Structure formats: C-alpha cells, structure tokens
Amino acid sequence: MTTFYRQPVHVARGEGVWLWDTDGRRYLDCYNNVPHVGHCHPRVVEAIAGQAATLNTHTRYVHDAILDYGEALTAKFDHDLDSMVMVCSGSEANDVALRMAQAVTGKTGIIGTDNTYHGNTTAVSQLNSSKTPIGGYLDHVRQVPAPDNMQPVGGSCAGQVEAFAKGVEQAIAELEASGHGVSTLIVCPYFANEGFPTLERGFLDRAIAAVRKAGGLIIADEVQPGFGRIGSHWWGHEKLGFAPDIVTLGKPMGNGHPVAAVVTRPDILTAFQEQFKYFNTFGGNPVSAAAAMAVLQVIEDENLVQNAADVGAYAVDLLRQVQVQHDVIADVRGSGLFFGAELWQDGAPATELCAEMVDAMRERGVLLHSVGRHENTLKVRPPCVFSRANADQLAETLDAAMRAVT
Ligand code: PMP
C-alpha cells in the first residue's frame, strides 16, 4: 500500500477523534470516516466481542442480528427501499448494485463521472478515473464530466445542471447507438471523490429523468456521505432530493469492522437473485450485523447527525475566517462533517501546496488529506463525534500551517 504523508504515521491506538502513534504522540483525526462514531467506541467494541463470543456463521442460517439490522437500516430510508444485501466492502456493494441494474434492465451500459472512485473489483474499477484500465475503458462504460465548484461543467455554476445533464444525455445516446443500452447511472450523491462541489437540491433531476426514460436505474453510492455525516440528512440522495433505486453503503457502517450493504426494492433484489444466485460467505455474518447495529444505535443515542450539522457549520465558519487571511484559499465548502478548503495559486490549482499543507498539518498533530481532480482541496471528514473544540484546533492549526508553507 501507499501510505499517507512523507513521514507515515505509525499508529498504535485510537479513541474518539484521537489517534496515538507508537511514540505516544497524539493526533487529531480530521480524516477518518470509517470510525464514524469515534475510534474504538466502547458500544461497538462490546457488540463485536459479545457476538463473537456467542456465535459467528454465515447467512445461510437465519439469525436475529441480521434480520433486526435489516429492519433498522431500511427504516432509515423514506422511500420504497426495504430490502438489503450485506457484503464486506463498498467495492462489493457497488459490484452487486451494477449487476442488479443489469438484471432488471437486461442492458449493460453504465454511466459514471469522469473523476471518481467506486471500488476495486474488475467491474467497478472500470468506473475509476485515476488510472485507465489495461486495454482502455470497456465500451459499455461512459464517463461524463463531473460537477465542480471552481471549474464548473459548461463554464458556469449556473449552467452546470444543464451541462451535466447534457453529458448524461450524450452518454445515453452513445450507449443506445452502440447496442449496450443503459442499465444505470451510478453517482455518489455528494460527489465526494470528485471534490464535494456545492450543488443545489435538484441538481441531478434532469440527468436522472433522462436515464429513467432510457429504462436505466439510479444507483446512489452512499459509501462516503451516508449515515448522517453530511448533517442535514441521513443520506446524500435526500439532500440532493432524489429517490435512487439502489443505494450502496460501506465505510462507516461497522465503524471499522468490514461490513457494507446494498439497499434496494424487493423486485430488484428478486431479479438479481434470479439472475445471479448470489451468496457471500462473510457478508452479513452475525458479528458484522452486531457491529453495524451498534453503530446505528450510537448515531441515534449520541445525536451524531445533529452534531455533524452543528459542528460542521461551526467549522466551515472558522475556515472562512482563516480564508480571509490567506489568498491561496479559493473556496471553503462542505456539509456537516465533510468539508474542506480548495487551494489555488497564480490562477491555477495549487496541487503542490496542498500536498505540503497535508504534511504541515500532520507535523502539527492534525490528520487530513486532499481530494479533487487536481488534488488541491484539503478534505476534512472526521469521526462524527468531532466537537467545536476540535474544530477550533483544526482552524488554528490550518492557519499556522498555511503561514509556514506560503
Ligand atoms: N465508493 C466510494 C464512493 C468510495 O469512496 C470507496 C472507497 N474509497 C468505495 C466505494 C470502495 O469501498 P471499499 O474500499 O470499502 O471497497
């Protein structure tokens, strides 16, 4: 694996928003969304240990932990998504989702954005934009220009809705002309890997209407924005105001335990099972289900969605105050506990400076990273127990690091 930072952090333990390295140095974790309810949350740890000490099998047996979790999770969706398949990773979830769309539509065409990541299986990695697959992208995959704040599709933020939709409409026309047809449009509804641009509710409506008209399904990859991180809603698709046919979940779902899921309608799940006879040995085992259930309960009991909204807004405000001091901060944006600052210098994306900032922050005990087409946006996405005091430390450190590197 490639590790983060010029000097990798040699981690030893974690608690809440804190990580300690092997020398006992403490870091404020502003980056890790997997420990969603905080590193080593005692309730999640207890749930995992308790279930591991009782029974762990696979999903060929009926088990209350799995059934109860399915009920609890699907209750969090306010439209007709009330079926769930548990898997082990976001990649698998997206792989399953793509095949669900194929099973329902009988078509193979897939539309994604041109600046994204949806996982590491052979099928899903066809959608990733950082490296071209060997032999090039397969003909049934189309990448449309991703929305962006600083370099909007079509040249202006106001025209971006239409320009994005036109990209999708063109991809549909191409897929139909080449005989693949459209099985799905798959997007992260927060466009997290694309650099989380600020988008108005309804941004995707026209593109979605075009996909549906062509007979395709909509997959919302909620691996990053899901489970309340964005503060205003539990799910990114609710914030953008659309109703996907399939939702994929991962990273935060088990607070670090490898569990992920696909949530969909019963008719879609039936079509998928008929076509593929799916089984997953580890996906949805009772220990995974116990971990995931504990996460759901902690989010509720500790009001973490509300906390994400409150602390996120507070932190964005602080970063805007830092922005006033530093010309290189071109944009501060985000929602809930998923926000950041885009850096530009001399009229161009400040990629190098952003990398230096990531290291300068690490040296000052704050962990974050970069994202975006040019890797010039500092990405802050901490455990959702992040507090206002943590946000103060983040902003002060950002200001100090910025003074040091510019
Ligand atoms: N979807 C999105 C949007 C992701 O960001 C990622 C991982 N970064 C994945 C899917 C893949 O998840 P995993 O690493 O659990 O396979």
Side-chain angles (χ1 to χ4, degrees), residues 96-399:
V96 166
L98 292 177
R99 284 189 285 151
M100 284 179 169
Q102 291 180 353
V104 170
T105 63
K107 298 172 186 168
T108 54
I110 302 168
I111 305 170
T113 79
D114 68 350
N115 181 28
T116 197
Y117 180 81
H118 289 291
N120 59 31
T121 72
T122 304
V124 172
S125 59
Q126 277 285 326
L127 296 162
N128 300 342
S129 45
S130 67
K131 293 265 190 254
T132 308
I134 289 170
Y137 288 101
L138 296 174
D139 192 49
H140 69 282
V141 176
R142 295 296 140 123
Q143 297 182 330
V144 299
D148 193 284
N149 262 45
M150 297 294 294
Q151 297 174 303
V153 186
S156 75
C157 284
Q160 189 160 228
V161 173
E162 197 182 336
F164 180 80
K166 279 191 173 153
V168 172
E169 284 157 5
Q170 189 187 328
I172 293 170
E174 287 171 15
L175 288 169
E176 287 184 335
S178 59
H180 299 294
V182 181
S183 71
T184 188
L185 167 70
I186 176 169
V187 284
C188 163
Y190 194 61
F191 294 93
N193 292 317
E194 287 85 338
F196 55 93
T198 309
L199 301 173
E200 277 174 29
R201 194 174 171 79
F203 175 82
L204 284 174
D205 288 1
R206 181 170 152 183
I208 287 174
V211 173
R212 292 206 190 285
K213 193 161 163 236
L217 303 189
I218 308 299
I219 300 172
D221 178 342
E222 295 272 3
V223 164
Q224 298 232 22
F227 293 96
R229 166 164 300 281
I230 55 173
S232 57
H233 299 82
W234 261 77
W235 312 111
H237 65 265
E238 291 177 319
K239 187 175 177 67
L240 268 198
F242 70 96
D245 304 288
I246 305 172
V247 171
T248 56
L249 308 170
K251 289 180 187 290
M253 188 171 152
N255 216 47
H257 184 90
V259 59
V262 185
V263 178
T264 190
R265 294 196 302 271
D267 57 305
I268 296 176
L269 185 54
T270 303
F272 173 67
Q273 278 295 13
E274 281 170 2
Q275 186 69 39
F276 291 101
K277 274 191 131 318
Y278 185 74
F279 172 64
N280 188 322
T281 299
F282 296 119
N285 67 63
V287 173
S288 301
M293 185 64 115
V295 170
L296 274 193
Q297 288 167 348
V298 173
I299 295 172
E300 292 292 3
D301 293 352
E302 298 187 12
N303 289 321
L304 293 185
V305 185
Q306 183 52 44
N307 187 63
D310 172 56
V311 177
Y314 175 78
V316 163
D317 218 46
L318 289 181
L319 293 203
R320 296 219 161 106
Q321 291 169 33
V322 176
Q323 181 183 19
V324 175
Q325 307 295 318
H326 302 277
D327 289 347
V328 292
I329 303 181
D331 191 30
V332 172
R333 60 175 176 271
S335 178
L337 285 170
F338 199 145
F339 56 91
E342 181 158 351
L343 310 183
W344 279 59
Q345 216 168 17
D346 305 326
T351 308
E352 278 305 308
L353 178 72
C354 192
E356 273 181 57
M357 275 298 294
V358 167
D359 276 303
M361 295 294 284
R362 175 240 185 273
E363 282 157 22
R364 289 164 178 75
V366 175
L367 303 181
L368 43 65
H369 218 264
S370 60
V371 74
R373 195 182 290 281
H374 308 288
E375 290 285 333
N376 65 321
T377 300
L378 293 169
K379 173 166 75 169
V380 182
R381 201 191 45 178
C384 285
V385 289
F386 204 70
S387 68
R388 285 182 171 223
N390 300 144
D392 288 336
Q393 182 182 345
L394 165 68
E396 283 158 21
T397 312
L398 191 81
D399 185 44

